[in-house]
Amino acid sequence: MALSTDISLRVQATLTGTADLVTPSAPLDWQRRVQLLTGTLAGQADRCFSDTRTVNASSNDDVDLVGVLVDALGATFSPVRIKAIAVAAAAANVNNVIVGAAAATQWAALLGTTGTVTLRPGAFFLAVAGVADATGYVCAAGATDLLRIANSGAGSSVVYDIVVIGCSA
């Protein structure tokens, strides 16, 4: 099984103002891009998991990153290192999506054991290991592999998308 990955983040913005004789502007075009070839070394990845998931009101989804998830081709997703992760809260959510701080065996390589990211409806985050980084974000089955995705409130469920790119060795 081969995997080719192209991850990019681009911010384009123009700040404009007013002055007596001119309209000043400050354009911004900032971008980062990581391309990963198939493999398990620096600049490589060989595993991919993606899904749209639902968390019931006042509940959580402890995503077991190693050995439980199944990829799009039916293979068990079992990375030992994560090279990229993206989580996006659905715009139609009423409650926030809270990422991180599982009760036990936390995947602590990115946020620590108690750190969290709050995603308001429509928000997303992306973390990517650089091309020169052979390690990425380490995880291990049964020890450091749970990523908690929690619903911040009662009354309604939340929906989120998750994409995880990793290495099998």
Side-chain angles (χ1 to χ4, degrees):
M1 180 170 15
L3 177 66
S4 175
T5 308
D6 189 347
I7 303 166
S8 60
L9 176 63
R10 184 175 187 180
V11 177
Q12 291 181 298
T14 302
L15 179 64
T16 58
T18 57
D20 289 339
L21 299 175
V22 296
T23 302
S25 69
L28 169 69
D29 189 358
W30 179 89
Q31 53 191 328
R32 295 292 183 266
R33 183 176 185 192
V34 172
Q35 293 178 301
L36 303 172
L37 301 175
T38 232
T40 59
L41 304 173
Q44 298 178 337
D46 65 347
R47 296 292 180 260
C48 176
F49 171 78
S50 62
D51 199 8
T52 297
R53 298 166 72 101
T54 301
V55 183
N56 292 329
S58 302
S59 189
N60 61 67
D61 180 13
D62 283 341
V63 180
D64 192 331
L65 294 172
V66 183
V68 174
L69 303 172
V70 176
D71 71 19
L73 300 179
T76 301
F77 182 73
S78 291
V80 297
R81 293 175 285 118
I82 303 296
K83 293 292 187 95
I85 183 166
V87 179
N93 289 345
V94 174
N95 298 335
N96 297 335
V97 172
I98 311 297
V99 180
T105 66
Q106 303 92 348
W107 178 57
L110 181 64
L111 298 172
T113 58
T114 60
T116 61
V117 173
T118 299
L119 300 176
R120 296 182 50 75
F124 64 92
F125 88 94
L126 169 67
V128 182
V131 171
D133 185 352
T135 304
Y137 302 98
V138 177
C139 51
T144 57
D145 64 344
L146 291 184
L147 176 65
R148 176 161 286 179
I149 310 290
N151 185 333
S152 71
S156 65
S157 60
V158 293
V159 175
Y160 71 95
D161 294 333
I162 184 168
V163 177
V164 186
I165 304 295
C167 292
S168 62

